[in-house]
Amino acid sequence: SSSSSSSSSSSPDIVVMDANEDWGIIPAENLVAAYASSASTRLFARVRDATSARTMLEALETGVDGVVLCTSDPKEVRAIDAILREHFASRDDGRVDLVAATVTDVKRVGAGDRCAVDACVNFAQGEGMLVGSFASGLFLVHAENVECGYVNVRPFRVNAGPTASYCAAPDDKTAYLSELKAGSEILCCDSHGRTRVANVARVKIERRSLVLIEARVKTTGARLAVLLQNAETVRLIRATDDRQPVSVAQLTIGDDVLVAVNDVARHTGVAVDERAWDER
């Protein structure tokens, strides 16, 4: 069912569709498509819980313009608040500040349990995940979507390093790679610092040879480190005008790469204000 109203001649009409438990996804997508080109009408969905709200907000990717939540459960209100914040933030590209760090050492360190993170989306060229040994500074690790002649590309994958490494998560948080699993949310980032949220499809943990890369931030001198699989398909991104990916197998001392610096302590992934802390 639907209804419409207009508060003034300059305000858009609001059409509310009742997305109850008998409502299918295809009818919702049909309505989203029908109103997509309308500048004078906004489409809202009446839902009973946060899960239904997310489905409506993601219908045909663009989703409805808003939701009307009908519930007496405060947990659903809080859940839908988080979903709405994430959804409408993702419509406006999030952004992190990327800076240059100069590589000071590249050395093999033996084998370890490394995580290949497969996302529910394909990464674009120049895009990947922010990963590092220290939460205070994460390296932009490029997705495995670059042709190399050795293996087929995996446009959905970031070979992210050992399980103990940090990765950037939504809402200015970090997560250990060991915590990621199917359905987890990760923060994707491109070479210009534009970010988006994606879900994890799976995480593959396998014993692989690793390489340690150490670098110093050019502006502050802060020391950062990241461990990655020692393979031609694993790449960082150069901090040059063209921002091209560079394989860890070709990385040399003196190269500048892109990193995101966040000089705060972390507790369970959340930034906290601590005066005495160190990572090394």
PDB file of all heavy atoms in Angstrom, residues 136-156:
ATOM      1  N   SER A 136      48.297   2.953  14.711  1.00  0.00           N
ATOM      2  CA  SER A 136      48.573   4.386  14.518  1.00  0.00           C
ATOM      3  C   SER A 136      48.940   4.731  13.085  1.00  0.00           C
ATOM      4  O   SER A 136      48.975   5.909  12.723  1.00  0.00           O
ATOM      5  CB  SER A 136      49.705   4.816  15.450  1.00  0.00           C
ATOM      6  OG  SER A 136      50.861   4.027  15.234  1.00  0.00           O
ATOM      7  N   GLY A 137      49.204   3.717  12.249  1.00  0.00           N
ATOM      8  CA  GLY A 137      49.556   3.988  10.868  1.00  0.00           C
ATOM      9  C   GLY A 137      49.341   2.765  10.002  1.00  0.00           C
ATOM     10  O   GLY A 137      49.955   1.715  10.237  1.00  0.00           O
ATOM     11  N   LEU A 138      48.456   2.872   9.016  1.00  0.00           N
ATOM     12  CA  LEU A 138      48.090   1.736   8.182  1.00  0.00           C
ATOM     13  C   LEU A 138      48.501   1.983   6.739  1.00  0.00           C
ATOM     14  O   LEU A 138      48.334   3.090   6.209  1.00  0.00           O
ATOM     15  CB  LEU A 138      46.583   1.488   8.256  1.00  0.00           C
ATOM     16  CG  LEU A 138      46.006   1.271   9.665  1.00  0.00           C
ATOM     17  CD1 LEU A 138      44.486   1.121   9.589  1.00  0.00           C
ATOM     18  CD2 LEU A 138      46.637   0.069  10.339  1.00  0.00           C
ATOM     19  N   PHE A 139      49.023   0.959   6.091  1.00  0.00           N
ATOM     20  CA  PHE A 139      49.444   1.031   4.696  1.00  0.00           C
ATOM     21  C   PHE A 139      48.261   0.723   3.782  1.00  0.00           C
ATOM     22  O   PHE A 139      47.431  -0.137   4.094  1.00  0.00           O
ATOM     23  CB  PHE A 139      50.551   0.014   4.423  1.00  0.00           C
ATOM     24  CG  PHE A 139      51.854   0.296   5.111  1.00  0.00           C
ATOM     25  CD1 PHE A 139      51.988   0.143   6.489  1.00  0.00           C
ATOM     26  CD2 PHE A 139      52.972   0.703   4.381  1.00  0.00           C
ATOM     27  CE1 PHE A 139      53.196   0.392   7.133  1.00  0.00           C
ATOM     28  CE2 PHE A 139      54.185   0.956   5.015  1.00  0.00           C
ATOM     29  CZ  PHE A 139      54.294   0.807   6.394  1.00  0.00           C
ATOM     30  N   LEU A 140      48.202   1.397   2.648  1.00  0.00           N
ATOM     31  CA  LEU A 140      47.168   1.109   1.662  1.00  0.00           C
ATOM     32  C   LEU A 140      47.624  -0.074   0.810  1.00  0.00           C
ATOM     33  O   LEU A 140      48.515   0.055  -0.032  1.00  0.00           O
ATOM     34  CB  LEU A 140      46.890   2.330   0.792  1.00  0.00           C
ATOM     35  CG  LEU A 140      45.790   2.175  -0.271  1.00  0.00           C
ATOM     36  CD1 LEU A 140      44.495   1.641   0.339  1.00  0.00           C
ATOM     37  CD2 LEU A 140      45.538   3.501  -0.976  1.00  0.00           C
ATOM     38  N   VAL A 141      47.016  -1.247   1.061  1.00  0.00           N
ATOM     39  CA  VAL A 141      47.363  -2.471   0.346  1.00  0.00           C
ATOM     40  C   VAL A 141      46.388  -2.637  -0.814  1.00  0.00           C
ATOM     41  O   VAL A 141      45.177  -2.704  -0.613  1.00  0.00           O
ATOM     42  CB  VAL A 141      47.303  -3.695   1.282  1.00  0.00           C
ATOM     43  CG1 VAL A 141      47.682  -4.966   0.524  1.00  0.00           C
ATOM     44  CG2 VAL A 141      48.222  -3.491   2.483  1.00  0.00           C
ATOM     45  N   HIS A 142      46.935  -2.696  -2.019  1.00  0.00           N
ATOM     46  CA  HIS A 142      46.114  -2.743  -3.235  1.00  0.00           C
ATOM     47  C   HIS A 142      45.443  -4.106  -3.387  1.00  0.00           C
ATOM     48  O   HIS A 142      45.989  -5.135  -2.997  1.00  0.00           O
ATOM     49  CB  HIS A 142      47.003  -2.472  -4.454  1.00  0.00           C
ATOM     50  CG  HIS A 142      46.245  -2.042  -5.674  1.00  0.00           C
ATOM     51  ND1 HIS A 142      45.588  -2.927  -6.487  1.00  0.00           N
ATOM     52  CD2 HIS A 142      46.057  -0.810  -6.216  1.00  0.00           C
ATOM     53  CE1 HIS A 142      45.026  -2.266  -7.491  1.00  0.00           C
ATOM     54  NE2 HIS A 142      45.292  -0.985  -7.343  1.00  0.00           N
ATOM     55  N   ALA A 143      44.248  -4.100  -3.961  1.00  0.00           N
ATOM     56  CA  ALA A 143      43.543  -5.353  -4.245  1.00  0.00           C
ATOM     57  C   ALA A 143      44.281  -6.146  -5.320  1.00  0.00           C
ATOM     58  O   ALA A 143      45.078  -5.600  -6.095  1.00  0.00           O
ATOM     59  CB  ALA A 143      42.113  -5.049  -4.700  1.00  0.00           C
ATOM     60  N   GLU A 144      43.988  -7.433  -5.382  1.00  0.00           N
ATOM     61  CA  GLU A 144      44.644  -8.301  -6.362  1.00  0.00           C
ATOM     62  C   GLU A 144      43.896  -8.257  -7.700  1.00  0.00           C
ATOM     63  O   GLU A 144      43.468  -9.291  -8.232  1.00  0.00           O
ATOM     64  CB  GLU A 144      44.731  -9.731  -5.831  1.00  0.00           C
ATOM     65  CG  GLU A 144      45.690  -9.873  -4.655  1.00  0.00           C
ATOM     66  CD  GLU A 144      46.040 -11.316  -4.357  1.00  0.00           C
ATOM     67  OE1 GLU A 144      45.266 -12.219  -4.737  1.00  0.00           O
ATOM     68  OE2 GLU A 144      47.086 -11.550  -3.746  1.00  0.00           O
ATOM     69  N   ASN A 145      43.746  -7.056  -8.229  1.00  0.00           N
ATOM     70  CA  ASN A 145      43.014  -6.861  -9.487  1.00  0.00           C
ATOM     71  C   ASN A 145      43.907  -6.315 -10.595  1.00  0.00           C
ATOM     72  O   ASN A 145      43.423  -5.725 -11.561  1.00  0.00           O
ATOM     73  CB  ASN A 145      41.811  -5.930  -9.263  1.00  0.00           C
ATOM     74  CG  ASN A 145      42.219  -4.575  -8.700  1.00  0.00           C
ATOM     75  OD1 ASN A 145      43.399  -4.311  -8.472  1.00  0.00           O
ATOM     76  ND2 ASN A 145      41.235  -3.707  -8.467  1.00  0.00           N
ATOM     77  N   VAL A 146      45.219  -6.527 -10.456  1.00  0.00           N
ATOM     78  CA  VAL A 146      46.186  -6.071 -11.448  1.00  0.00           C
ATOM     79  C   VAL A 146      46.732  -7.279 -12.193  1.00  0.00           C
ATOM     80  O   VAL A 146      47.194  -8.239 -11.569  1.00  0.00           O
ATOM     81  CB  VAL A 146      47.345  -5.290 -10.790  1.00  0.00           C
ATOM     82  CG1 VAL A 146      48.348  -4.835 -11.849  1.00  0.00           C
ATOM     83  CG2 VAL A 146      46.805  -4.094 -10.010  1.00  0.00           C
ATOM     84  N   GLU A 147      46.661  -7.250 -13.517  1.00  0.00           N
ATOM     85  CA  GLU A 147      47.190  -8.356 -14.316  1.00  0.00           C
ATOM     86  C   GLU A 147      48.694  -8.491 -14.086  1.00  0.00           C
ATOM     87  O   GLU A 147      49.431  -7.503 -14.079  1.00  0.00           O
ATOM     88  CB  GLU A 147      46.934  -8.102 -15.798  1.00  0.00           C
ATOM     89  CG  GLU A 147      45.455  -8.093 -16.199  1.00  0.00           C
ATOM     90  CD  GLU A 147      44.860  -9.488 -16.261  1.00  0.00           C
ATOM     91  OE1 GLU A 147      45.626 -10.472 -16.129  1.00  0.00           O
ATOM     92  OE2 GLU A 147      43.638  -9.595 -16.426  1.00  0.00           O
ATOM     93  N   CYS A 148      49.126  -9.745 -13.877  1.00  0.00           N
ATOM     94  CA  CYS A 148      50.560  -9.948 -13.641  1.00  0.00           C
ATOM     95  C   CYS A 148      51.144 -11.084 -14.472  1.00  0.00           C
ATOM     96  O   CYS A 148      52.372 -11.224 -14.564  1.00  0.00           O
ATOM     97  CB  CYS A 148      50.814 -10.232 -12.155  1.00  0.00           C
ATOM     98  SG  CYS A 148      50.161 -11.819 -11.605  1.00  0.00           S
ATOM     99  N   GLY A 149      50.312 -11.927 -15.065  1.00  0.00           N
ATOM    100  CA  GLY A 149      50.811 -13.017 -15.885  1.00  0.00           C
ATOM    101  C   GLY A 149      51.082 -14.301 -15.133  1.00  0.00           C
ATOM    102  O   GLY A 149      51.353 -15.337 -15.742  1.00  0.00           O
ATOM    103  N   TYR A 150      50.994 -14.260 -13.795  1.00  0.00           N
ATOM    104  CA  TYR A 150      51.258 -15.459 -12.989  1.00  0.00           C
ATOM    105  C   TYR A 150      49.967 -16.201 -12.641  1.00  0.00           C
ATOM    106  O   TYR A 150      49.904 -17.429 -12.739  1.00  0.00           O
ATOM    107  CB  TYR A 150      51.987 -15.085 -11.694  1.00  0.00           C
ATOM    108  CG  TYR A 150      53.358 -14.482 -11.918  1.00  0.00           C
ATOM    109  CD1 TYR A 150      53.581 -13.130 -11.690  1.00  0.00           C
ATOM    110  CD2 TYR A 150      54.415 -15.266 -12.348  1.00  0.00           C
ATOM    111  CE1 TYR A 150      54.827 -12.566 -11.896  1.00  0.00           C
ATOM    112  CE2 TYR A 150      55.664 -14.719 -12.563  1.00  0.00           C
ATOM    113  CZ  TYR A 150      55.873 -13.372 -12.335  1.00  0.00           C
ATOM    114  OH  TYR A 150      57.108 -12.818 -12.540  1.00  0.00           O
ATOM    115  N   VAL A 151      48.950 -15.452 -12.198  1.00  0.00           N
ATOM    116  CA  VAL A 151      47.657 -16.033 -11.820  1.00  0.00           C
ATOM    117  C   VAL A 151      46.557 -15.111 -12.317  1.00  0.00           C
ATOM    118  O   VAL A 151      46.801 -13.939 -12.642  1.00  0.00           O
ATOM    119  CB  VAL A 151      47.536 -16.206 -10.285  1.00  0.00           C
ATOM    120  CG1 VAL A 151      48.546 -17.219  -9.776  1.00  0.00           C
ATOM    121  CG2 VAL A 151      47.702 -14.868  -9.574  1.00  0.00           C
ATOM    122  N   ASN A 152      45.328 -15.629 -12.374  1.00  0.00           N
ATOM    123  CA  ASN A 152      44.189 -14.788 -12.728  1.00  0.00           C
ATOM    124  C   ASN A 152      43.949 -13.749 -11.638  1.00  0.00           C
ATOM    125  O   ASN A 152      44.230 -13.981 -10.460  1.00  0.00           O
ATOM    126  CB  ASN A 152      42.936 -15.642 -12.896  1.00  0.00           C
ATOM    127  CG  ASN A 152      43.018 -16.564 -14.092  1.00  0.00           C
ATOM    128  OD1 ASN A 152      43.695 -16.250 -15.069  1.00  0.00           O
ATOM    129  ND2 ASN A 152      42.341 -17.696 -14.013  1.00  0.00           N
ATOM    130  N   VAL A 153      43.446 -12.595 -12.052  1.00  0.00           N
ATOM    131  CA  VAL A 153      43.160 -11.541 -11.074  1.00  0.00           C
ATOM    132  C   VAL A 153      42.027 -11.983 -10.167  1.00  0.00           C
ATOM    133  O   VAL A 153      41.158 -12.781 -10.544  1.00  0.00           O
ATOM    134  CB  VAL A 153      42.816 -10.208 -11.766  1.00  0.00           C
ATOM    135  CG1 VAL A 153      43.983  -9.701 -12.576  1.00  0.00           C
ATOM    136  CG2 VAL A 153      41.571 -10.345 -12.633  1.00  0.00           C
ATOM    137  N   ARG A 154      42.038 -11.468  -8.962  1.00  0.00           N
ATOM    138  CA  ARG A 154      40.962 -11.665  -7.998  1.00  0.00           C
ATOM    139  C   ARG A 154      40.466 -10.274  -7.610  1.00  0.00           C
ATOM    140  O   ARG A 154      40.921  -9.701  -6.623  1.00  0.00           O
ATOM    141  CB  ARG A 154      41.464 -12.416  -6.760  1.00  0.00           C
ATOM    142  CG  ARG A 154      42.113 -13.763  -7.056  1.00  0.00           C
ATOM    143  CD  ARG A 154      41.065 -14.804  -7.423  1.00  0.00           C
ATOM    144  NE  ARG A 154      41.637 -16.149  -7.502  1.00  0.00           N
ATOM    145  CZ  ARG A 154      42.104 -16.701  -8.617  1.00  0.00           C
ATOM    146  NH1 ARG A 154      42.074 -16.006  -9.751  1.00  0.00           N
ATOM    147  NH2 ARG A 154      42.592 -17.927  -8.614  1.00  0.00           N
ATOM    148  N   PRO A 155      39.548  -9.688  -8.377  1.00  0.00           N
ATOM    149  CA  PRO A 155      39.157  -8.288  -8.147  1.00  0.00           C
ATOM    150  C   PRO A 155      38.471  -8.041  -6.824  1.00  0.00           C
ATOM    151  O   PRO A 155      38.322  -6.892  -6.412  1.00  0.00           O
ATOM    152  CB  PRO A 155      38.205  -7.989  -9.322  1.00  0.00           C
ATOM    153  CG  PRO A 155      37.686  -9.330  -9.727  1.00  0.00           C
ATOM    154  CD  PRO A 155      38.809 -10.298  -9.499  1.00  0.00           C
ATOM    155  N   PHE A 156      38.073  -9.103  -6.143  1.00  0.00           N
ATOM    156  CA  PHE A 156      37.375  -8.985  -4.863  1.00  0.00           C
ATOM    157  C   PHE A 156      38.307  -9.161  -3.677  1.00  0.00           C
ATOM    158  O   PHE A 156      37.869  -9.085  -2.536  1.00  0.00           O
ATOM    159  CB  PHE A 156      36.278 -10.060  -4.775  1.00  0.00           C
ATOM    160  CG  PHE A 156      36.769 -11.436  -5.151  1.00  0.00           C
ATOM    161  CD1 PHE A 156      37.502 -12.211  -4.267  1.00  0.00           C
ATOM    162  CD2 PHE A 156      36.530 -11.938  -6.425  1.00  0.00           C
ATOM    163  CE1 PHE A 156      37.982 -13.463  -4.628  1.00  0.00           C
ATOM    164  CE2 PHE A 156      36.996 -13.193  -6.796  1.00  0.00           C
ATOM    165  CZ  PHE A 156      37.726 -13.962  -5.884  1.00  0.00           C
TER     166      PHE A 156
END
